[in-house]
Amino acid sequence: MLEKAFKDHVPLDVIQDAMGSMGPWHIVIAVALSLVKFPVAWHQLSIVFLAPPTTFWCVSPESATNESVKYKCYVDVGNGTMDKCTDFRYDKRVFRETIITEWDLVCDREQLTNLVQSCTMFGVLMGNFLFSSVADRIGRKKPLMIAIALQSITGVVSAYAPWYELFLLFKFISALATGGTMLVSFVLLMEIVGIEWRSPMSVLFHVPFILGHIMTPLVSYLTHTWQKFQLAISIPAIFLLSYYWIIPESPRWLLAVGRPEEAEIILTKAARRNKVPLENVKRAIESHECQKSTRQTKNKNYNFTHLFRTPNMRLKSICIFINWFTCGSCFFGVAQYMGTLDGNVFINVAVSAALELPGTMIVLFLISRVSRLKILMGGNFLTGLSLLSMILVSDPTARVCLASIGLAGIAISFPTVYLYSSEIFPTVVRNIGVGLGSVCARLGSVIAPYIATVGNVQPWLPPVIFGGGQLIGAGLCLLLPETMDCELPETIQDGENFGKKTAAQDTS
């Protein structure tokens, strides 16, 4: 009877056939999951307003000369003796209190502001590792709720930290949770939507992050102090815990770990809401159980070294990972660099964030129509050329516009490299490849703050480094094959053979 059912109806994905590819049930969950991205943006990009560039004067010791003590770390106390400044006065006309003014993060303590952002990004990286492991063991829903709660609680507590070191610790823990929320929410979404919806949904899922970025300067403008700002970006996540009753466990994970009864309950609810025949649910469960033994016999352990064992796979992997690295460093670096440009910091950041939306919409429109590599190269070139052009202009407004265009280009490149990576790596190492690419992006974001603030030494250095990196990424795309409308590689050998002779033609 089961064999006859398979002959009559053999869908590409029986689990998706049971709950539909996209319907009211999916939309409610997708919206709920997307709201998680708002605090993700707030926590990752908060450094712009937690530690904005601040004018300071040395107050103690007093200078024995008439020279200006603005931006002075050492003063002449008489007889040519230079003493280290121990007390400072700050310009508080725009920001009444920042972490710089709170803990005197100037002079020899200046790099401690960059340490906050680097620690945040490193925490996000570690959170990806930690929560991905936990999510594979206990499911998607519980780790997501744990991460949301931890993110909110540690974010609130950090606002009351009396010492810099304690603030840094809680920011790191909050970043761990942020890495968990962004990873688990994305995985859960990809596991419930239909195959044909995964590409557009992976792009649309980035939109709430951009909206959160746009809202960040508004929240800072309304709060004026770093403590209130930190509270404002942390407390809203508490309300996301109410989604415990909306967001289901992943039925795919439940079936994978041998809990078909629980999976059937969720699939039945989804089928009813989406008006899918309930017999599809029973067929999906039976099909999955029937194929379980076959899947188990095909299991083989793979690791990241398989990405580099053969020459063609090694070349492609290196080119892709460099693109991930440059995208990660450039996006978070330029986002922070916007706060150092002349003009109104709130307007500068808001405008640059708003221009990311058109970039994302361009990807959404082109992703099923234009070569992946052409989109990736176009985004990289747009960013690289606009940032390098900044060294040729001195007008503050023009520089802000060019930096904003650069962020728009990154908004094109980032989701494209993510999708391209999911298609170029063979099935047996696809998760490893995409995961390692994400690690490269996080490593780029860890060093980004130091590049963004190196403008204090030479103003032209940040745009040259960020822009040059993007042009290198664009150039490396010439060595990669196109994946659009191609049969995806399954085995390591498929990956080695994929695009071996046609890379040059595919990118022309």
Side-chain angles (χ1 to χ4, degrees), residues 241-273:
L241 292 175
S242 61
Y243 292 160
Y244 183 85
W245 307 109
I246 300 175
I247 297 174
E249 183 52 83
S250 168
R252 292 184 187 276
W253 178 83
L254 290 171
L255 287 171
V257 297
R259 292 158 63 176
E261 296 83 4
E262 297 174 59
E264 185 174 2
I265 294 173
I266 296 172
L267 290 174
T268 300
K269 182 177 180 180
R272 284 174 176 161
R273 189 74 186 274

Side-chain angles (χ1 to χ4, degrees), residues 21-71:
S21 294
M22 181 62 67
W25 183 80
H26 294 90
I27 293 173
V28 170
I29 296 170
V31 171
L33 289 173
S34 69
L35 295 181
V36 172
K37 298 285 282 186
F38 281 93
V40 167
W42 294 336
H43 283 281
Q44 288 195 93
L45 301 169
S46 62
I47 192 64
V48 178
F49 299 106
L50 289 173
T54 304
T55 303
F56 67 89
W57 295 265
C58 180
V59 175
S60 177
E62 291 186 7
S63 175
T65 66
N66 292 326
E67 66 176 351
S68 171
V69 292
K70 185 177 181 180
Y71 295 121

Side-chain angles (χ1 to χ4, degrees), residues 369-443:
R369 298 175 172 84
V370 180
S371 157
R372 316 282 199 240
L373 287 178
K374 288 181 180 177
I375 299 174
L376 180 57
M377 291 174 65
N380 285 346
F381 269 121
L382 178 62
T383 298
L385 294 178
S386 62
L387 292 181
L388 290 176
S389 299
M390 292 180 66
I391 65 176
L392 304 177
V393 299
S394 57
D395 181 70
T397 302
R399 288 174 60 82
V400 169
C401 290
L402 287 171
S404 300
I405 293 172
L407 273 180
I410 289 293
I412 295 174
S413 301
F414 228 145
T416 306
V417 74
Y418 200 110
L419 177 60
Y420 181 82
S421 299
S422 68
E423 294 177 335
I424 192 65
F425 291 119
T427 300
V428 293
V429 289
R430 185 163 294 135
N431 283 335
I432 296 172
V434 175
L436 192 54
S438 180
V439 168
C440 292
R442 300 302 158 211
L443 292 177

